[in-house]
Amino acid sequence: MAEPPRAIGEHGIIGDMETAALVACDGTIDYLCWPALDSPSVFADLLDPGKGGAFSITPALDDPRSLQLYLPETNVLTTRFMAEEGSAEILDIMPHPDARPRPSEAARCLIRRVSVTRGTIRFSACCAPRFDYARETPKLAIDENGARFTGKTLMLQLFASVPLEADGDAASASFTLSAGESAWFVLGDADLTRPDDAKILEEIAATTDAWRRWTAQSSYKGRWREDVMRSALALKLLTSRRHGSIAAAATFSLPEATGAGRNWDYRAVWIRDASFTVYAFMRLGFIDEAKHFGRWAGARVMASDSDHPLRIMYAIDGTEAADEDELPHLAGYAGSRPVRIGNAAHSQSQLDIFGELMDSVYLTNKYGEAISHKGWSHVAGIVDYVIANWQKPDAGIWEIRAEPRHFLHSRVMCWVALDRAIRLSIKRSLPAPLVRWTECRDAIAADIWENFRHPEHGYFVQERGGTELDAALLMMPLVRFVSSTDPVWLKTLDAIRDQLCDDGLVYRYRTHDGLDGGEGAFTTCTFWLAECLARAGRLTEAQLVLAKGRRYANALGLYSEEQDRRGLHLGNFPQALTHLAFISAAYFTDRRLDPSHRPNWQP
C-alpha cells in the first residue's frame, strides 16, 4: 500500500467561514470544497494523490526545511522554505468577509503570495482542479488575463502576476524571484476581477486586521492562551457566517484507522456539539458566536415535532444531512477505502442529543437571550419525547453501527435533558409539569445507579448489565450528574485511566463496535480526562494529561480526530469537538491553578 506524500497532520487550514482549504507543509493545497464546506471538492489530492486535484507552488531548493506558522492572532498562514542557497515563503488566505466593504457582493477567492527572503529561487506552480469529487476534469482556457476552469455547473478563475500556460488540463507557471521580490496567484469565483499588486497587499492587510479584531474580543487571559486562541480560531473557521452552525470538521473520509474502512464525512453539524460550542465561545468571551449558534440550534428545535423529531445531525444550512454515498473512483487516504460522502448516521437514534441540546438551551438562557413562549412549548415537547423514550436502546454517542444498546452516556444525557428543563423552568418562571418532570429525572438517576455499575468493582460501566468501560463516561461529572469527588465516580475515573489509557493516549472503548479493524486513540477523550482530574482535585495528574494532550496537536496547534500509537494524526481534520474539549479543559484547569480560586458548588 503506497503511503500518501502528505500526512494529515502536516497541514494548516485557511478559510472564510463559508469553506476552508488545507495547505500542506510542502506548499500544496490538496483539499478544498467549493463554494461551500459541504460542496463537492475541487482539490482532493489528500484522498488520492495525482487524481483528486491540487494547487502546488514549489521552490527549486536543495533539501529545504519547511515549516508553517500563523501570523499571531489570525488565520493567515505562512509556509516557509529554508535551504543553504536561499529561503522563501508562501502566504495563504481567504479574504475575511469583514475585511470587505460589501462582503455579500464581493467575489470569494483564495490568495497565494510567494516571496523570497534570501537568495534567488526558481519556482514552479501548478493549479489542477478536479470538480465534483474528482469526477469531472474542467475545461481549461488561458489568455493574457488569466485562466478559466469550466465545468458543467462550476467555473473558477485563476489570475497571477506571472505568465500562465497550459500543461494538459492544468495551469502552470515557472518564475524566478530574488530576495525582496514576490508573485501572487488568486483563484476564485467566475465573477472575480483581476487584482493588482496593491489590491493583493490590501486584502492581506485587511484580512489580518479583521482576524485580530475578532480575537481581541476574547476575555480569556489564562495559561495556555496561545493554544486556546488557536483552537478558537480553528473553530471560527468551521463556523458558518451565514447560518451560525459549526461543522464537526473541515474534511470527509480521512480514516480513523488506516485501511480499515472507518472513513466518514464530518462536514455536517451535530446537535451533540451544541452545548460544547456554546460553553466554549461564552467562556472565551465570544458571545455573538454563542448566540448565533444558539439561534441555529433553536431553529432546529422549532422545526421539530412528534412527526419530525430532532435529528442527530444536519447540513450546515439546517436542512437534512446528506445520505451516505461511496466514491469508488478515489483510492482514499493511504489506500483507505471506501471514500464516503454524506453520513448514514443521520438516521440513527441517539438519545443523548436531547441532553446536549437542552444543556445548550439552558446555557444560552442563563448567559444570553431568554427563550420565547413558542420556543418553550417546543422544548416541552422534546422533554415529553425524552420521558417516553429514555428507556429505549440506541446507537449512542459513538454512533455504533451494530444492534442498539442501553448506553450509560445516553441515559445520563436523558437525565440532563430533564434536569436542564426543570432548572430553566424555575429560573425563567416558565410553565411546566414540574412534578412529572422531576419524577422522571429521578427515575433515570435511580436506574443509572442501580443498573449501570460493575457487578464486582462497583464503578460505572458502558451499558446496562455490562462490565466494559467507555470514555464517554467522563462526561458524567462535567454535566454535573455526579460529584467530581464521589467515591463511585473516583473508582470509575481510575478504571478509565487504567483500562482505556495507553501511554498517554485515551481510547473510547475496548468493545466491538460492529465495524472491521481497530481505531486510533480519541483526542477529545484526553481532554475530558484532564478536566475530570482537575475537577477531582488531582491537579498534578491533570496538568500532565493536559500537557500530553497539547502535544497531540500539530505544529500549528490543530487537532485531528484521533492518533495512532505514535501520536500521528488520524481522522477528519481539524476536528471541532477536540478543540472544544481542549478549551473547556484548559479553562477549568487554569481556574483551579489560580491561587485565589475558591471552588464552590454551582447549580
Side-chain angles (χ1 to χ4, degrees):
M1 181 185 299
E3 287 293 323
R6 305 172 196 93
I8 293 171
E10 294 178 353
H11 289 81
I13 183 173
I14 60 172
D16 61 0
M17 283 76 76
E18 293 287 346
T19 191
L22 297 188
V23 185
C25 62
D26 68 354
T28 300
I29 296 177
D30 57 2
Y31 181 90
L32 170 65
C33 295
W34 194 272
L37 193 71
D38 53 359
S39 297
S41 64
V42 296
F43 299 135
D45 254 25
L46 184 58
L47 291 161
D48 195 336
K51 185 175 183 180
F55 187 173
S56 62
I57 300 176
T58 308
L61 292 171
D62 183 23
D63 191 28
R65 179 191 178 195
S66 65
L67 54 91
Q68 290 182 302
L69 57 96
Y70 284 107
L71 297 189
E73 310 285 301
T74 78
N75 279 313
V76 177
L77 180 66
T78 297
T79 304
R80 302 200 66 209
F81 303 91
M82 305 171 67
E84 289 291 337
E85 68 270 31
S87 58
E89 58 188 37
I90 304 169
L91 185 146
D92 285 299
I93 66 165
M94 289 186 192
H96 194 294
D98 291 345
R100 297 178 156 192
R102 299 182 183 87
S104 61
E105 299 175 12
R108 294 172 50 234
C109 66
L110 181 155
I111 296 174
R112 316 199 72 190
R113 185 173 185 266
V114 189
S115 58
V116 170
T117 55
R118 178 169 52 87
T120 298
I121 302 173
R122 184 79 174 167
F123 294 85
S124 58
C126 180
C127 183
R130 297 292 181 262
F131 293 173
D132 191 24
Y133 299 110
R135 290 181 288 203
E136 180 186 10
T137 300
K139 294 179 180 178
L140 171 64
I142 293 182
D143 56 29
E144 68 281 356
N145 195 42
R148 291 183 304 280
F149 299 95
T150 305
K152 296 175 183 176
T153 60
L154 178 66
M155 188 180 93
L156 293 177
Q157 292 204 93
L158 175 66
F159 299 116
S161 63
V162 295
L164 296 171
E165 59 183 28
D167 181 8
D169 299 311
S172 65
S174 294
F175 55 99
T176 301
L177 300 175
S178 296
E181 296 179 336
S182 64
W184 51 261
F185 298 82
V186 179
L187 178 70
D189 286 336
D191 56 348
L192 189 68
T193 57
R194 182 181 178 87
D196 55 20
D197 293 355
K199 180 64 174 175
I200 295 296
L201 292 175
E202 177 187 327
E203 290 272 28
I204 292 171
T207 292
T208 302
D209 289 344
W211 281 118
R212 286 177 173 161
R213 286 196 304 272
W214 183 77
T215 54
Q217 299 174 40
S218 175
S219 58
Y220 181 75
K221 307 296 182 185
R223 298 168 181 82
W224 313 297
R225 185 180 188 280
E226 184 176 349
D227 291 351
V228 167
M229 293 312 300
R230 178 51 51 201
S231 285
L233 283 159
L235 290 172
K236 184 63 173 174
L237 286 180
L238 297 175
T239 301
S240 169
R241 177 184 175 87
R242 184 182 309 175
H243 304 291
S245 56
I246 180 168
T251 57
F252 65 92
S253 215
L254 293 181
E256 297 174 3
T258 303
R262 297 169 178 259
N263 318 313
W264 319 113
D265 189 345
Y266 276 11
R267 299 170 302 156
V269 188
W270 269 251
I271 289 293
R272 179 174 296 114
D273 296 352
S275 61
F276 299 106
T277 302
V278 171
Y279 177 88
F281 277 138
M282 283 187 167
R283 285 294 180 259
L284 298 182
F286 298 116
I287 305 302
D288 288 344
E289 282 73 16
K291 288 181 178 178
H292 201 183
F293 189 89
R295 286 192 290 269
W296 181 91
R300 308 288 76 74
V301 173
M302 298 293 284
S304 66
D305 55 40
S306 58
D307 295 325
H308 303 88
L310 197 69
R311 299 281 188 171
I312 69 166
M313 72 176 79
Y314 294 85
I316 290 170
D317 64 0
T319 59
E320 188 169 343
D323 291 332
E324 194 168 292
D325 195 12
E326 296 182 2
L327 304 177
H329 64 287
L330 292 177
Y333 177 86
S336 300
R337 283 179 163 164
V339 173
R340 292 186 177 94
I341 55 174
N343 200 312
H346 76 81
S347 61
Q348 288 183 343
S349 170
Q350 298 178 18
L351 294 172
D352 67 292
I353 65 169
F354 301 104
E356 284 113 0
L357 176 69
M358 282 307 306
D359 199 32
S360 72
V361 171
Y362 177 74
L363 287 170
T364 301
N365 273 266
K366 184 176 181 180
Y367 299 107
E369 300 169 343
I371 194 169
S372 68
H373 175 77
K374 186 175 182 181
W376 177 245
S377 68
H378 280 267
V379 165
I382 287 175
V383 174
D384 287 341
Y385 182 88
V386 173
I387 290 173
N389 290 277
W390 68 268
Q391 298 185 69
K392 295 181 180 179
D394 71 341
I397 182 175
W398 307 129
E399 301 176 351
I400 302 298
R401 298 199 177 195
E403 284 296 314
R405 289 140 67 180
H406 292 272
F407 289 106
L408 174 53
H409 177 265
S410 297
R411 200 61 51 95
V412 166
M413 297 313 293
C414 286
W415 177 90
V416 170
L418 271 296
D419 181 75
R420 301 311 191 262
I422 292 166
R423 292 177 186 273
L424 184 55
S425 172
I426 295 171
K427 181 179 178 65
R428 295 291 189 191
S429 299
L430 297 167
L434 290 178
V435 172
R436 184 165 65 91
W437 286 7
T438 302
E439 287 176 349
C440 182
R441 181 193 63 181
D442 295 347
I444 296 173
D447 178 58
I448 291 170
W449 283 97
E450 293 171 10
N451 299 313
F452 290 81
R453 305 266 299 278
H454 192 285
E456 179 181 354
H457 303 296
Y459 53 70
F460 294 112
V461 292
Q462 181 186 51
E463 61 180 308
R464 188 175 67 188
T467 58
E468 298 295 327
L469 288 162
D470 186 335
L473 305 187
L474 293 166
M475 288 300 300
M476 295 177 75
L478 304 189
V479 297
R480 301 184 182 278
F481 173 81
V482 65
S483 165
S484 300
T485 56
D486 184 283
V488 174
W489 168 248
L490 293 179
K491 275 188 177 183
T492 308
L493 182 60
D494 288 338
I496 289 173
R497 180 197 59 196
D498 295 340
Q499 298 180 39
L500 296 184
C501 298
D502 182 2
D503 193 28
L505 299 167
V506 182
Y507 292 81
R508 294 187 288 183
Y509 44 76
R510 301 292 192 184
T511 53
H512 182 60
D513 57 8
L515 298 169
D516 294 332
E519 64 166 9
F522 205 72
T523 323
T524 298
C525 298
T526 299
F527 297 122
W528 288 348
L529 176 62
E531 184 169 352
C532 284
L533 290 167
R535 287 178 179 270
R538 300 179 180 180
L539 290 177
T540 299
E541 193 175 355
Q543 289 181 81
L544 179 59
V545 172
L546 189 60
K548 289 182 177 180
R550 289 171 59 217
R551 299 304 299 168
Y552 297 143
N554 71 359
L556 292 167
L558 301 174
Y559 294 100
S560 64
E561 182 184 6
E562 301 188 8
Q563 293 89 33
D564 66 14
R565 288 188 175 275
R566 296 179 297 165
L568 298 177
H569 291 230
L570 290 170
N572 287 299
F573 173 88
Q575 196 204 30
L577 188 59
T578 304
H579 286 280
L580 292 164
F582 167 67
I583 290 171
S584 181
Y587 180 90
F588 188 87
T589 305
D590 179 68
R591 288 180 60 202
R592 279 293 173 93
L593 290 171
D594 186 344
S596 65
H597 176 64
R598 295 292 181 267
N600 65 304
W601 185 85
Q602 296 179 7

